[in-house]
Amino acid sequence: MKEFQYVLTDREGIHARPAGLLVKKANEFQSDIKIERGGKSADAKRIFAVMGLGAKCGEQIAVTAEGTDEEAAAAAMEAFLKENL
């Protein structure tokens, strides 16, 4: 399992547009990808779950990837977050 932490910098947090793009990116991989914030966990491949976290600017999220392509999945998700959120 691969895990990393990220602090959101987008002033609106994870809102509809970037959540959709995040889900699209997560679905490129076979691994299970989870996002956690404040004790709540969400499947990164489900848009309503991701948006349901209510992650805001300045908050830290934890992303985990577990599966056959976890290394690539974690690297891609971290790059996506740095570019978009």
Side-chain angles (χ1 to χ4, degrees):
M1 176 169 62
K2 291 296 196 181
E3 181 175 357
F4 67 90
Q5 309 288 318
Y6 183 75
V7 176
L8 298 171
T9 57
D10 185 297
R11 64 185 177 92
E12 295 182 29
I14 301 179
H15 54 95
R17 185 189 56 76
L21 295 173
L22 185 144
V23 168
K24 186 176 179 181
K25 178 57 74 179
N27 276 299
E28 293 176 8
F29 300 95
Q30 294 294 318
S31 294
D32 291 327
I33 303 170
K34 304 280 185 213
I35 301 172
E36 185 177 320
R37 177 194 105 13
K40 291 169 50 174
S41 181
D43 181 348
K45 296 181 179 184
R46 300 181 55 216
I47 191 163
F48 290 116
V50 171
M51 291 183 64
L53 289 173
K56 306 288 184 214
C57 182
E59 294 181 329
Q60 181 170 302
I61 59 172
V63 179
T64 59
E66 186 170 8
T68 57
D69 56 358
E70 63 188 32
E71 296 263 347
M77 295 305 293
E78 189 166 14
F80 173 85
L81 289 169
K82 286 179 180 177
E83 283 182 24
N84 297 285
L85 290 168

